[in-house]
Amino acid sequence: MAISIIESVDKFKELVTEIKSIEGYKEPIGFGIARVDRGQKNSEKILQASYAVANWKENFGSANIFIKALIESDIKVDFNSSEFVATINDDFIANALNAFAPFLDEAVGEAHKNVQVIKTLARMKDIGRDFRVAFIFEDTNPKSVESVYLKLYALSLSFAPLRSLNLNGAFGVLSNVAWVGNTPYELEYLRDNEIEMKLDGTFPCIDSVDKFPRYLQHIIPADNTRILDSSKVRMGAQLAGGTTVMAGASYINFNAGTLGAVMVEGRISSSAVVGAGSDVGGGASILGVLSGTDGNPISIGENTLLGANSVTGIPLGDGCIVDAGIAILAGTKVSINEEALAKIQEANPTISIEIKNIFKGSELASLNGIHFRQNSQTGQITASRSIREVKLNTQLH
């Protein structure tokens, strides 16, 4: 049995409603059709999944059509699992085309993107190996390469907030591969064929070896976003419009990024988030959940400056400054005199700050308007009310 040609938008809506009544039906939180790269030696191993359109908590009508197209292609959809992945075939495309018939004549730019995906696949030959459809029904530990990538897309496209998705176990799902441009190679395949490939001049120029691809291999950034070196941003990072990532010591890990225009010349580690208008100076490091924060993700507020080669292991509020070369960690002893403490309290009226002279860094976490310095004579770390306005150059962002 196949889906009959749907002749009107109203009939399309009726079909979508009918699909929802399928026994066990569950609405996906994310879905899409991906082109997959398979292993050169083990063709059953999926190395990468590239989604032309990644859907997250939207376009449920298209999801229902994909589900129905699978069922009518004799592929049973498992709604009981947290995710479902299947290789699509010509029957799937034919069924989806019939369902999307009322929308097939819409011009490019006006047509729904999922319809464009089906129309494009219909013009291609031999799709039965390289294309798979994936559905995520529950945000649990990902089980497949396709679901890991779909979640990474959701983060990098800003469909889901940073730190909101379950990526536990993702490293165990993905394979460590050699990246040559956008193509992943199995390391075992390269070892097996190294002699022949080097002698006949076909051994590839490897850009990196990693389980994750680079951000720019999959994501088109906002017009006012600059990334000077593609290796500096990992897939799954999230870059708000206006962010500039310089070359050199900069780096943004997956599940980390910016919430507005930010200058990045330092390192934003996994799960770290930087607010709009802030400046991560050259070589500065924001510690990640695996590098000294006891598993607590760090947020940096708006209009905050991290000086060159500084280290931050506590969350910072808005309008803070950490001077170049110093480290502010949870256990760092910070001296604050009585006058400075009173001004810091004024900048944080909703928080009651204990009156004393020496604080641990953790006790100052997330407070606004603090300037951290180091006394050049005693080496003591001090804090005072920041009086300098951190302002990015609007021409650069």
Side-chain angles (χ1 to χ4, degrees), residues 165-212:
L165 300 183
N166 187 340
L167 286 165
N168 293 333
F171 277 87
V173 172
L174 302 180
S175 298
N176 200 33
V177 298
W179 292 96
V180 179
N182 274 11
T183 303
Y185 281 82
E186 287 178 288
L187 296 174
E188 189 175 357
Y189 170 83
L190 292 177
R191 293 189 190 100
D192 288 349
N193 295 277
E194 180 180 8
I195 293 174
E196 291 81 0
M197 295 175 80
K198 286 183 175 178
L199 290 176
D200 65 18
T202 59
F203 191 83
C205 178
I206 298 172
D207 298 308
S208 62
V209 176
D210 194 4
K211 295 190 173 191
F212 284 68

Side-chain angles (χ1 to χ4, degrees), residues 313-365:
I314 62 169
L316 299 176
D318 299 336
C320 291
I321 297 175
V322 179
D323 273 6
I326 67 173
I328 305 299
L329 307 177
T332 301
K333 297 296 190 297
V334 181
S335 174
I336 308 178
N337 65 41
E338 185 176 344
E339 181 181 357
L341 186 61
K343 291 180 179 179
I344 292 172
Q345 179 67 80
E346 289 177 4
N348 297 274
T350 62
I351 299 173
S352 179
I353 303 175
E354 183 180 356
I355 299 176
K356 57 181 180 178
N357 298 119
I358 301 296
F359 293 79
K360 287 184 178 180
S362 58
E363 295 176 286
L364 303 174

Side-chain angles (χ1 to χ4, degrees), residues 129-142:
R129 182 178 183 274
D130 297 332
F131 296 93
R132 308 191 84 190
V133 61
F135 302 89
I136 296 177
F137 296 113
E138 298 174 17
D139 184 22
T140 58
N141 294 8

Side-chain angles (χ1 to χ4, degrees), residues 3 11 62 106 134 143 152 240 268 282 286 289 298 344 359 368:
I3 298 176
K11 291 293 184 183
S62 293
E106 293 178 346
K143 300 176 182 177
L152 294 178
I268 303 177
I286 303 171
V289 291
I298 292 181
I344 292 172
F359 293 79
N368 300 319

